[in-house]
Amino acid sequence: LYTEGGGETEFKDKGHTDYKLALTYALNNDMNLYGSFSTGYIPNAISGGNVLDPNELDAYEIGFKSYLADGSVRLNVALYRSEYDGLSYTVFEQQNNTILSRQETGGSLTSQGMEVELLWQPTDNLTINSGLVIDDTELDEYALTESRFFEGPFNEEGGYYPVRVGNSWFADGDPDRPVATPTYILDGEEASYSPGYIINLDVMYRLDMGSFGALIPGMTVYHQDDFKTMNEGFAFAEQDSYTTVDLRASWETPIDKLVVKAYLNNATDELYKVSQNVFSNGRIMADYGRQRHWGLRVGYNF
């Protein structure tokens, strides 16, 4: 229960019931078809005196799971569509010598696409594991107000730049020309962190060395399409497509249950963003994926 001003504004979450319906049909012992529909819900929240909309989700999925080639191949395919509503975003506000944050309701988005998973063991020693994701995620009706920069986007209709002074906005910074807080209308735009596709391939081979145990070299290749780190189309918020390569080799020693593993991750030392945001009067921060690193692990299974 949320009460403001001695009862002038009251809010009480009335609760929500979620459900899931799933059907599976076995075509034979090696393949089945399935479909599901489910809902999700995060209750209203209170932020800075605002009552936010609840986060709601309707999720649809159809696909099949199969074992092929006498069990040497496992192939799973799924088509999905997820509809989100009531999504929020962070607003940063300067208060004296510090920065405070609060949440605002932004709008909705739809994510749809396909996932493919393939596990293939052509021989007893060789294992190939791969995956593919094709994704289309768009903001449906989504708007957010500018809260991080001193200057907003150019107002085409009014022919001015909104400039923030304190927490108020003025045309070209003129204190005699107050204007509304600039707003980004992002309807139909690609959502942040939504690459169009992702591909991964993992290969490993077991080499029997007799009395010296076994050596299992392996390699993982991961490739991701370009994406935005923020919903707004800022130039600095773009991440180009990239590929990482991880190498490894495990030695199953002659000593029972003793394994030694050497690894080299991000062998090409690829530089890529994993998160980014703007706050505190325009300061831009980004986190990057781990750079090339290697190590040696020794494990004993008791």
Side-chain angles (χ1 to χ4, degrees), residues 38-145:
S38 59
T39 63
Y41 183 81
I42 299 176
N44 306 65
I46 308 300
S47 180
N50 294 329
V51 179
L52 304 180
D53 291 342
N55 291 182
E56 300 185 72
L57 166 66
D58 290 336
Y60 308 82
E61 184 174 331
I62 60 173
F64 69 85
K65 299 178 183 293
S66 64
Y67 283 98
L68 308 174
D70 295 327
S72 64
V73 175
R74 185 180 71 195
L75 176 64
N76 300 331
V77 177
L79 301 177
Y80 64 87
R81 178 180 174 89
S82 299
E83 300 172 355
Y84 298 85
D85 192 31
L87 297 177
S88 60
Y89 64 93
T90 301
V91 175
F92 296 102
E93 295 181 339
Q94 182 174 351
Q95 297 292 333
N96 299 323
N97 294 322
T98 189
I99 300 294
L100 301 180
S101 64
R102 59 180 176 84
Q103 297 293 304
E104 287 280 2
T105 299
S108 58
L109 69 79
T110 298
S111 177
Q112 57 189 357
M114 176 177 68
E115 295 180 353
V116 180
E117 179 188 37
L118 174 66
L119 177 61
W120 180 29
Q121 193 168 11
T123 69
D124 291 339
N125 296 334
L126 178 62
T127 301
I128 300 173
N129 195 352
S130 62
L132 168 68
V133 176
I134 299 176
D135 181 79
D136 177 23
T137 300
E138 284 190 358
L139 302 167
D140 298 326
E141 296 181 359
Y142 202 94
L144 55 84
T145 58

Side-chain angles (χ1 to χ4, degrees), residues 265-298:
N265 291 340
N266 194 2
T268 59
D269 205 20
E270 188 74 20
L271 184 66
Y272 58 94
K273 298 174 185 177
V274 294
S275 69
Q276 186 171 41
N277 212 331
V278 178
F279 75 107
S280 186
N281 297 337
R283 283 181 279 188
I284 304 167
M285 297 184 63
D287 292 323
Y288 291 85
R290 196 168 184 183
Q291 294 176 282
R292 181 193 298 124
H293 60 285
W294 60 271
L296 185 68
R297 296 174 180 170
V298 179

Side-chain angles (χ1 to χ4, degrees), residues 206-216 250-255 258:
R206 181 183 178 87
L207 179 62
D208 191 356
M209 301 189 299
S211 59
F212 292 98
L215 184 65
I216 310 174
S250 297
W251 176 34
E252 295 180 352
T253 69
I255 302 174
L258 178 64

